[in-house]
Amino acid sequence: MAVIVQKYGGTSVGTVERIEHVADKVLATRAQGNQVIVVVSAMSGETNRLLGLATEIMGPAPHGPELDVLLSTGEQVTIALLTMALKKRGCKAVSRTGWQLEIKTDQASNKARIESINTDLIQDDLATDAVIVVAGFQGIDQDGSITTLGRGGSDTTAVAIAAAIAAQECQIYTDVDGVYTTDPRVEPDARRLEHITFEEMLEMASLGSKVLQIRAVEFAGKYKVPLRVLSTFEDGPGTLITTEENQMEQAKIAGIAFNRDEAQLTVKGVPDQPGIAAKILGPISRANIEIDMIVQNVAWDNTANFTFTVHRNDYQRALDILQTTSDKLGANTVSGDDNIVKLSIVGVGMRSHAGIASQMFEALADEGINIRMISTSEIKISVVVDEKYLELGVRCLHDVFGLSGNNADNK
Ligand code: ADP
Ligand code: ASP
Ligand code: MG
């Protein structure tokens, strides 16, 4: 019998009625002759509520092992309720936490990575013909402490289980009916993609499209897990994440991602000599602050200007560190801006089409949008612009690359 892994996100299990609806969907999948493993998130708003409680005690950006213990309770509520709903329908079901299934992770509190899963335990449950209802987003480290996988981590739990038992398909049920050309909340003309490659999905997720957690896509690509994003509330084919070879025709651009979580820092007038980048960025990295884009240029007087971006949560800390470094280096000025966003276009078709960058830059220029930074890779181009241009920028790029719903030639 085929095993299907289904994951239901927060909104899909946001009320008791919705949990009952999920139970019906699980039964329908079983009725088609499949065994089902269901991974669930916390009910919508619950993880944020718990974070709020922790913030009241720890202050902004709570962290550490107790946060894992706290946040993991959200998913435990949902597995209990869904299992009750399944049993009420006469369906055999068991609820399982991360530690019960021995979902082993590393020790990185609040952003742990799954290292292994005890598939014997899953197979034992499947042998009893029960639906296994698994708490997403949580695991256990080598010391037996509860860990959590970072926001959106239930996606990764589902894909990791699907990979571990070689499930027939991993279905991610959510509040949209697939992966869209861009977030439909920002561009109402966005269109559902029939399929998108793992590579493109990985870029989209990394560049801010939170419809799938980055690690879930990484896992699915690495272990070749057939992965589909679908709606909990409407029937439909959703979006299949595929390997490139399966794609018949390449659109130039698959989608547009954006990220509101960045902030930009600049130091001007540093001496232009070997080792300067390491001197500026070293202290930032040592403070565990991740750096995203970096631009360095040399001015007419042989001093260098250095600009980079970090997560907005790390902005103030990074600014303080940069100020100290700049004093040591004798630089002129340190400045920063946390009202910026990153817009990116993503597509494997870029490899075989020239002129995409200039098309992007012209479109932004036509709207009077100033580009502050640019970075490119083989299948993406990102620009940093003022936050006020987010919607306008996304919509004009969506239009210029022909991604809208009524545009047939990109299908
Ligand atoms: P869940 O709680 O089910 O995990 P999420 O909120 O994590 O749901 O992800 C679904 C949301 O992702 C959608 O409501 C949508 O606003 C957002 N999103 C961002 N980019 C995209 C995209 N390219 N396609 C579809 N949804 C997107
Ligand atoms: N409940 C967690 C979160 O909100 C995990 C998830 O929903 O995937 O991020
Ligand atoms: Mg999610």
Side-chain angles (χ1 to χ4, degrees), residues 7 9-10 41 151-155 172 174 210-213:
K7 177 258 171 177
S41 289
R151 298 308 302 263
S154 299
D155 297 338
I172 306 287
T174 182
K210 289 176 185 152
V211 58
L212 283 175
Q213 200 197 34

Side-chain angles (χ1 to χ4, degrees), residues 10 12 36 81 108 110 159 167 235 240 244 255 273 284 313 319 368 380 384 393:
S12 308
V36 189
L81 294 174
N110 316 149
V159 175
D235 289 337
L240 186 65
E244 197 167 334
Q273 43 186 239
I284 307 267
N313 289 346
L319 202 57
K380 72 116 204 266
V384 169

Side-chain angles (χ1 to χ4, degrees), residues 62-304:
H63 56 275
E66 285 69 39
L67 191 69
D68 295 312
V69 177
L70 179 70
L71 296 189
S72 66
T73 61
E75 273 68 14
Q76 192 167 332
V77 170
T78 327
I79 56 170
L81 294 174
L82 179 57
T83 307
M84 287 175 195
L86 286 165
K87 284 186 171 169
K88 185 169 87 176
R89 286 161 174 75
C91 171
K92 210 165 174 193
V94 285
S95 58
R96 297 287 186 236
T97 60
W99 61 265
Q100 283 177 310
L101 283 187
E102 293 180 10
I103 300 181
K104 292 265 172 64
T105 73
D106 63 16
Q107 297 197 288
S109 243
N110 316 149
K111 50 176 182 211
R113 281 177 183 269
I114 296 179
E115 288 178 339
S116 66
I117 296 178
N118 188 340
T119 47
D120 290 347
L121 297 174
I122 295 178
Q123 296 300 353
D124 288 350
D125 280 338
L126 286 175
T128 69
D129 200 32
V131 171
I132 315 178
V133 183
V134 183
F137 174 61
Q138 55 177 263
I140 187 167
D141 72 9
Q142 64 188 39
D143 297 337
S145 299
I146 292 175
T147 52
T148 55
L149 310 180
R151 298 308 302 263
S154 299
D155 297 338
T156 305
T157 305
V159 175
I161 290 177
I165 60 157
Q168 179 169 302
E169 187 166 279
C170 181
Q171 303 172 339
I172 306 287
Y173 285 93
T174 182
D175 55 2
V176 273
D177 64 345
V179 177
Y180 275 60
T181 45
T182 192
D183 189 341
R185 288 186 213 197
V186 166
E187 169 54 285
D189 259 356
R191 179 172 55 79
R192 179 178 60 82
L193 296 161
E194 287 292 328
H195 36 61
I196 182 169
T197 67
F198 281 110
E199 248 185 314
E200 288 167 330
M201 193 62 239
L202 192 59
E203 285 286 4
M204 292 279 281
S206 312
L207 296 167
S209 300
K210 289 176 185 152
V211 58
L212 283 175
Q213 200 197 34
I214 303 169
R215 286 181 191 164
V217 188
E218 266 169 12
F219 245 104
K222 187 163 167 197
Y223 296 102
K224 306 257 178 305
V225 177
L227 182 62
R228 196 183 285 275
V229 177
L230 306 124
S231 163
T232 306
F233 308 106
E234 307 162 24
D235 289 337
T239 300
L240 186 65
I241 325 291
T242 60
T243 46
E244 197 167 334
E245 306 87 73
N246 296 343
Q247 290 249 41
M248 297 295 287
E249 228 180 277
Q250 293 305 342
K252 277 196 279 191
I253 300 299
I256 295 164
F258 54 85
N259 188 347
R260 291 188 172 93
D261 296 335
E262 298 209 14
Q264 174 183 321
L265 296 102
T266 300
V267 55
K268 285 193 178 147
V270 289
D272 179 31
Q273 43 186 239
I276 205 71
K279 279 192 185 132
I280 292 171
L281 298 180
I284 307 267
S285 304
R286 281 194 288 282
N288 260 331
I289 298 176
E290 256 178 63
I291 296 158
D292 182 22
M293 289 163 102
I294 306 173
V295 173
Q296 184 197 330
N297 40 42
V298 178
W300 56 271
D301 61 353
N302 270 345
T303 62

